[in-house]
Amino acid sequence: MRILAIETSCDETSIALLESKNSHLKILSNIVSSQVKIHQKWGGVVPTLAKREHQKNLVPVLIKALEEARMLRKSKVTIKNSKLKETLVREEHLYKKLKKFLEQYQKPKIDLIAVTIGPALEPALWVGVNFAKALSYFWQKPILPVNHIEGHILANFIQNPISDLQFPAICLVVSGGHTGLILMKDIGGYKEIGETRDDAAGECLDKTARILGLGYPGGPIVAKMATKFKNQKSKIKIKLPRPMIYQKNYDFSFSGLKTAVLYKVRSMKPRETKKKEFIREMCREVQRAIIDVLIYKTLRAAKEFRAKSVILGGGVAANEELRRQFKARIRKELPKTYYLIPKTYFCTDNAAMIAVTSYFHQKEATKNWQKIKVNANLKI
Ligand code: KG4
Ligand code: ZN
């Protein structure tokens, strides 16, 4: 079976093709077109710009994905189809590009179209969903709506066999839009046991980078600055809070941490806050504070629920220091627990994770493409 997956939930336009043979999964292509440069000057993702960029990028990304999967075949037809236009009535620019594409290329040999429907930025999600609906209608292929959070969890099975996974599992999804702990009883059987009450961990890193004037996205820049901090004798000795770390629930809160960074910066002379040593130490401390809380709460949940597996996912799981510390702590405190984290490349948003997720839910695919809707606040 072959799946075409589409992901446009935030600032990456991504399309992947997956092939399954006797439950062996192979990613044939996974094209990710980042809009970072567009949003950089605003210091964060601007939903209307994301929508515009997805409209521009989807067809070129689809062509690249099909090409890399060796599934792009030329054709020549003329389309006079008002229904196709109707599905993309709000994305006129995309409609024109898609019509041209469908006139030039044959229907690829796919069995299913998967698309992210939430949770994320509504205007961005709609572009991908309407694009998937137009393709589902025109190619007469079933469509499957996918939860982005589940995608981050199941990204682990792009390369690892699912048969190795033992339940119950504790999943930590930590990204720019979401931070939560999920108890997983089987595929599709999830219970969110804790989530962030305000900012997500990635959002805190992005905002910290903004306060320090480091650019966007903050996570990778903060990580880079943190590794450069070497001067242990530094006079600053910044100490930030570890919000909610010892509270008996599994919720998180990271907005106070960002505010603590802001207050520290405001309490100093502007000239001092521009110094490399200060920036590096602040980055190291904010990253440490986030990692401390994430590890403490995840391990506590794993122990309480007697988890046989601990699974990580989401953009912040790409953080090298977090990966190093998690591995060491699990090895020490839960040596019998099966521990999984996706390859760095599959932590941040990509369509391969959506393709894999849809593979596990293929029975839920529908030909009723008209009914597919976005849900910006979708729960797992
Ligand atoms: O999963 P993702 O790509 O998008 C959402 O679903 O939100 O996560 C993006 C978040 C951003 O906040 C970004 O700063 C953070 O992941 N991030 C990182 C790293 N790479 C991306 N945070 C820490 N270290 C990284 N290496
Ligand atoms: Zn994500």
Side-chain angles (χ1 to χ4, degrees), residues 7 9-10 12 119-120 148-149 151-152 173-178 313-315 347-350 353:
E7 155 67 45
S9 65
C10 193
E12 326 275 0
H148 185 80
I149 305 296
H152 276 307
V173 177
V174 61
S175 71
H178 193 85
C347 287
T348 45
D349 290 351
N350 66 85
M353 69 185 200

Side-chain angles (χ1 to χ4, degrees), residues 107-108 110-113 135-137 139-143 366:
K107 169 160 109 177
I110 54 162
D111 303 282
L112 180 69
I113 296 165
L135 290 177
S136 168
Y137 157 73
W139 286 340
Q140 294 288 296
K141 293 292 168 193
I143 188 167
T366 172

Side-chain angles (χ1 to χ4, degrees), residues 61 66 69 98 104 152 186 195 228 244 279 281 321:
V61 169
L66 288 169
L98 179 61
Q104 283 178 344
H152 276 307
D186 53 46
E195 63 176 332
K228 287 188 177 163
M244 297 182 72
I279 289 176
E281 184 172 354
E321 183 60 18

Side-chain angles (χ1 to χ4, degrees), residues 65-83:
L66 288 169
E67 208 167 22
E68 208 174 290
R70 299 174 175 272
M71 289 166 70
L72 192 66
R73 308 262 181 282
K74 285 255 179 200
S75 149
K76 210 169 182 198
V77 288
T78 309
I79 296 173
K80 290 193 193 98
N81 191 319
S82 60
K83 190 94 184 166

Side-chain angles (χ1 to χ4, degrees), residues 366-378:
T366 172
K367 289 218 162 115
N368 208 345
W369 56 267
Q370 289 98 328
K371 289 229 164 113
I372 306 293
K373 279 198 187 103
V374 157
N375 183 351
N377 301 313
L378 189 66

